[in-house]
Amino acid sequence: MTSLRHLCMATAGIAALSATLPANAKSLETAFGTVEIDDDPTRVVTLYTNALDTALTAGVAPLGAVATRGGDGVARYLSEQAGDIEIVGTPRETNIEAVAALKPDVILASPRLPEAQYDLLSHIAPTVVPDVEPYHMDSWENEARVYGKALGRSDVIDDAIAEVNAKAETLSEHQNDSPSASLIRWMPQGALVMAPQIFSNTLLSKSGFAVDDGGTVKEGRPHSDPLSLENLSRIDNDWLFLSTLNAEGDEAYEAAKQSPAFERLDVVQRDHVVTVDGQLWTSATGPMAAKAILDDIASAMDAAQ
């Protein structure tokens, strides 16, 4: 990756690639002010999973994207639809020069994009940063609507969101009560309990679960500090959705299953531990991700009947 200092020195060269105002432009309100975008952009670069997910949902094939957390390509659930897409960075660091080389019409970025990065990217092409607060029930929907408008595909995205909410409501109607549930990401150093406000947990809530972090997640954080096996009793709920990101996490979970502390959990005894894809459940967001997560929830509920 190119350092930020190097990139700042290269800004003058990158600025030469700045897009001129298109003849058929629309205005979009973003976190960094009003942005003018082509009505029908064709050269799209996405720097955030929801942006890539939304673009693919809308039928747009982006030229570039960042790798998913825990991998070197896009998330597995998107790999087929994304095809041979150019990887232009990671969730933590974007390769600005790689983005510039793709000569995009528009760049779709994360709501948490630093302003210094925005300043560089906006010299390349109109850069859309949704003005959306993270970790709210409808955060992902509001982000997707901004990206849909930027792509000129609002109707498609509105329909996709409506489909997700209808499916979640159907799942909720089939719950006899509100079973408690936790979502954890298993890491070599221990289990991370995911906050109730993250994307996948909001879908669990909409599907009729009472998401419980056992008081382990500090306010404003996406997950807890690693828990010891003994402290897993704090999230010994009706259901446990358990994810891993990579082979190291898989191995750590396999080792944990041999522990008496893990085996003593009531949720383990009831066989209500559901293993899920960590890239999807703890790193993804967007309409396609929502549908895939709801499919996982539906499968778990069907298996329990």
Side-chain angles (χ1 to χ4, degrees):
M1 286 302 169
T2 310
S3 70
L4 183 57
R5 179 179 295 178
H6 183 194
L7 291 171
C8 288
M9 293 172 61
T11 300
I14 292 175
L17 295 171
S18 297
T20 57
L21 186 64
N24 298 314
K26 59 176 174 284
S27 297
L28 194 65
E29 295 302 318
T30 76
F32 293 105
T34 304
V35 175
E36 300 289 337
I37 307 169
D38 193 309
D39 269 341
D40 187 23
T42 57
R43 300 186 64 82
V44 179
V45 170
T46 63
L47 305 180
Y48 176 46
T49 303
N50 194 352
L52 175 60
D53 186 310
T54 300
L56 294 171
T57 299
V60 175
L63 302 173
V66 294
T68 188
R69 185 176 288 104
D72 54 9
V74 301
R76 286 182 290 270
Y77 83 98
L78 292 176
S79 59
E80 182 176 347
Q81 294 90 338
D84 189 22
I85 194 170
E86 184 82 13
I87 299 301
V88 295
T90 70
R92 291 184 177 274
E93 187 174 7
T94 301
N95 186 329
I96 305 291
E97 290 161 329
V99 174
L102 293 174
K103 300 180 180 179
D105 297 330
V106 66
I107 299 167
L108 306 182
S110 164
R112 291 173 289 284
L113 183 77
E115 187 169 2
Q117 289 270 306
Y118 174 81
D119 290 341
L120 293 169
L121 291 165
S122 61
H123 280 89
I124 301 169
T127 301
V128 176
V129 179
D131 189 10
V132 175
E133 285 292 323
Y135 311 131
H136 289 275
M137 183 67 72
D138 56 357
S139 293
W140 76 269
E141 297 179 19
N142 292 334
E143 292 169 2
R145 288 191 173 98
V146 173
Y147 299 135
K149 184 176 181 181
L151 296 169
R153 310 291 175 91
S154 291
D155 290 348
V156 178
I157 300 308
D158 286 343
D159 288 346
I161 292 171
E163 184 180 342
V164 166
N165 287 328
K167 185 175 180 65
E169 184 175 356
T170 298
L171 288 172
S172 179
E173 290 170 352
H174 284 82
Q175 298 278 24
N176 294 325
D177 48 23
S178 295
S180 58
S182 295
L183 169 64
I184 63 176
R185 181 197 292 162
W186 208 281
M187 306 289 283
Q189 64 269 35
L192 306 179
V193 183
M194 308 309 291
Q197 297 83 12
I198 73 160
F199 170 66
S200 49
N201 274 338
T202 65
L203 293 169
L204 279 170
S205 295
K206 286 187 176 183
S207 299
F209 290 87
V211 178
D212 177 20
D213 67 0
T216 63
V217 183
K218 296 178 182 178
E219 186 175 354
R221 293 287 306 279
H223 56 70
S224 71
D225 294 328
L227 292 187
S228 67
L229 284 169
E230 288 71 23
N231 281 331
L232 283 178
S233 60
R234 296 176 67 176
I235 53 166
D236 193 4
N237 294 309
D238 296 322
W239 288 88
L240 177 62
F241 292 83
L242 188 150
S243 69
T244 59
L245 278 178
N246 49 37
E248 289 77 11
D250 292 338
E251 291 169 4
Y253 173 50
E254 289 301 319
K257 288 196 294 186
Q258 310 307 314
S259 164
F262 185 84
E263 287 297 320
R264 283 196 298 268
L265 294 173
D266 286 342
V267 69
V268 174
Q269 296 292 320
R270 292 194 303 274
D271 195 25
H272 277 189
V273 178
V274 182
T275 56
V276 294
D277 182 350
Q279 285 188 354
L280 173 62
W281 276 70
T282 67
S283 293
T285 175
M288 294 172 66
K291 291 176 185 178
I293 288 170
L294 292 175
D295 285 344
D296 286 346
I297 295 171
S299 294
M301 299 302 96
D302 288 344
Q305 293 178 356

